[in-house]
Amino acid sequence: EVASGTFNSCARSTGGRVWCWGSNAFGQLGDGGFAEQLTPQLVAGLTGVSSVTLGQRHACAVDGSGQAWCWGNNDSGEVGDGSQNDAPDPMPVVGVSDALSVSAGGEHTCALREAGVVTCWGQGDRGALGNGIFDVAQTDVTVALPLAATDVVSGDKHTCASLVDGNLWCWGDGQGGAIGNGNIGIQTLP
């Protein structure tokens, strides 16, 4: 699996390790430092990783136990560790130990969790968290979906989830028609 951010990329090996390279000004390579790396660097401390995703300047992964981990830029709480301090090492996302997958957006992250629950954290100024509030969430908030989700994908300032009935629900910044509801406004709830 390969994922790309704004100026960096990461790959998950078949053995469940994560390697990242490129820009590292915010610690988004997860190698414990802030130096740009022109070759892949092992993300320390992560094993058994089942998925990896990159946002604008942060990255996240899910390990074999379902724990979500994030690292990199955390100005808007997108790492989900309860702070707004940049994290050059992977940090466990507070309260998200049952993740099936994670999806990093520009400055927010969402997780698909067991039982089809979707939670999000980070920058919510354009409604991307789906909790009806334009604010930063340093830990996860639950998205009020009408049914269980089967997938979640985050864009720069919006998020979409597919539900068990096959319907797609989106929320956040509708600029350019991104949320598919026929207008270009902001929708803070699914």
Side-chain angles (χ1 to χ4, degrees):
E1 178 180 31
V2 177
S4 291
T6 303
F7 297 108
N8 66 306
S9 298
C10 293
R12 178 179 56 87
S13 70
T14 55
R17 302 301 302 262
V18 176
W19 300 80
C20 297
W21 60 95
S23 176
N24 198 22
F26 300 93
Q28 63 264 47
L29 300 185
D31 64 354
F34 296 93
E36 179 179 273
Q37 299 291 339
L38 302 180
T39 59
Q41 303 297 307
L42 180 65
V43 176
L46 289 183
T47 59
V49 171
S50 59
S51 68
V52 64
T53 181
L54 274 66
Q56 186 175 33
R57 296 180 307 246
H58 74 290
C60 299
V62 176
D63 70 17
S65 72
Q67 176 64 56
W69 297 82
C70 294
W71 59 94
N73 187 313
N74 199 24
D75 290 349
S76 299
E78 56 264 57
V79 170
D81 67 346
S83 80
Q84 287 180 261
N85 301 319
D86 290 348
D89 294 301
M91 301 297 291
V93 177
V94 175
V96 183
S97 60
D98 62 346
L100 302 174
S101 65
V102 287
S103 179
E107 295 179 40
H108 73 287
T109 310
C110 295
L112 172 63
R113 299 172 67 175
E114 291 179 5
V117 173
V118 172
T119 60
C120 300
W121 57 94
Q123 183 57 262
D125 69 338
R126 307 294 291 174
L129 302 183
N131 65 343
I133 300 172
F134 294 106
D135 205 357
V136 166
Q138 296 175 0
T139 58
D140 73 310
V141 295
T142 301
V143 179
L145 293 168
L147 296 169
T150 59
D151 195 17
V152 63
V153 178
S154 300
D156 184 39
K157 297 183 185 305
H158 70 287
T159 307
C160 294
S162 56
L163 306 186
V164 293
D165 64 357
N167 285 315
L168 182 65
W169 288 69
C170 298
W171 57 94
D173 191 340
Q175 186 174 8
I179 58 176
N181 66 353
N183 68 55
I184 57 172
I186 294 172
Q187 184 167 325
T188 61
L189 292 169

